[in-house]
Amino acid sequence: MDTAKTTSGSSIDADVARVIVDAQRITARIEQLAGQIAECYEGREVTLLAILTGSLIFLADLVRRLPIRARLDVALVRSYPGSATRSQGPTLRLPPEPELKGCDVLIVDDILDSGGTLRLLCDTVSRMKPASVRTCVLLRKDRTDVVDRAEPDFVGFDVADEFVVGYGLDYNGLYRNLPDICVLNDQVLQRAAGGTSA
Ligand code: 5GP
Ligand code: MG
């Protein structure tokens, strides 16, 4: 019996209302970001701490353009349970005993919204006595309503305050495999479904 989850359309492209940042622009910007990061850590070894799951594709592309010694570590944070399109507050799971003491840690996330996720990670990592902690996000949402937001050291693109998917970012677990950063059709967002996302 086929137990695969299905949507009403056969192609995910049909669920996309608009492309916000296309794959070509993402590639070009990551090249620039990698240059800035390499310059910042010149002569050092950087530990990239990727916030799963949304940053996976960004991390994979970014790290392969970094011409410096780099280690990879991961942290799992869930903020958007099920079909939520506003953060419900981040909860964190680090891998068992990450060895970050004395490391130059670069926390990598897909998107900055309220800043709660980066703040949680920065606070947690800082308690592990690293040599330094910096942050990098592919997207930064325009949230004029949030005061004292933790601002990243490296930013790919500034985007409007709307819910986006693609290039690793999901809606209810789907759409991470879209090559562009997109906004979904209203009908898709209104379709209630179970599951989790991050
Ligand atoms: P913050 O903690 O800054 O409010 O939210 C950041 C986290 O929420 C990101 O790691 C990401 O998982 C999720 N997030 C925030 N905005 C969006 C969005 O527009 N689309 C998706 N798919 N996830 C988002
Ligand atoms: Mg996330």
Side-chain angles (χ1 to χ4, degrees):
M1 188 176 73
D2 185 359
T3 55
K5 289 185 185 174
T6 57
T7 58
S8 57
S10 57
S11 163
I12 51 173
D13 291 340
D15 295 342
V16 170
R18 277 175 294 127
V19 171
I20 303 295
V21 190
D22 67 34
Q24 233 180 331
R25 283 181 67 207
I26 296 172
T27 303
R29 184 71 186 120
I30 288 178
E31 194 74 51
Q32 294 172 340
L33 274 180
Q36 290 169 14
I37 292 167
E39 202 178 302
C40 174
Y41 291 98
E42 204 186 334
R44 315 271 302 177
E45 186 182 282
V46 66
T47 299
L48 301 176
L49 180 64
I51 305 179
L52 299 181
T53 305
S55 73
L56 261 184
I57 294 176
F58 175 40
L59 173 84
D61 284 344
L62 180 67
V63 74
R64 285 178 295 168
R65 283 169 181 81
L66 277 182
I68 54 173
R69 291 164 71 91
R71 295 177 189 275
L72 298 183
D73 230 322
V74 293
L76 178 61
V77 177
R78 294 252 180 254
S79 318
Y80 282 51
S83 49
T85 56
R86 268 287 182 219
S87 173
Q88 306 297 302
T91 55
L92 166 68
R93 258 183 287 161
L94 283 167
E97 310 209 8
E99 256 318 313
L100 300 176
K101 191 175 175 188
C103 295
D104 287 304
V105 180
L106 179 62
I107 298 168
V108 178
D109 203 5
D110 49 1
I111 186 164
L112 176 81
D113 188 3
S114 70
T117 301
L118 279 194
R119 193 179 296 279
L120 177 67
L121 259 293
C122 284
D123 290 351
T124 307
V125 171
S126 295
R127 285 196 291 273
M128 297 173 181
K129 311 243 181 298
S132 66
V133 185
R134 290 186 180 85
T135 54
C136 174
V137 295
L138 178 65
L139 306 170
R140 172 170 57 189
K141 258 190 208 182
D142 181 15
R143 289 286 302 268
T144 44
D145 56 316
V146 179
V147 284
D148 287 339
R149 184 167 72 169
E151 291 300 329
D153 297 282
F154 304 96
V155 177
F157 299 94
D158 283 296
V159 295
D161 182 12
E162 56 189 342
F163 190 77
V164 295
V165 298
Y167 197 73
L169 291 99
D170 76 310
Y171 173 61
N172 201 13
L174 296 172
Y175 305 106
R176 296 192 197 276
N177 52 324
L178 283 168
D180 310 309
I181 305 289
C182 306
V183 169
L184 292 171
N185 289 324
D186 285 344
Q187 302 95 289
V188 177
L189 293 174
Q190 282 156 14
R191 220 186 277 151
T196 57
S197 60

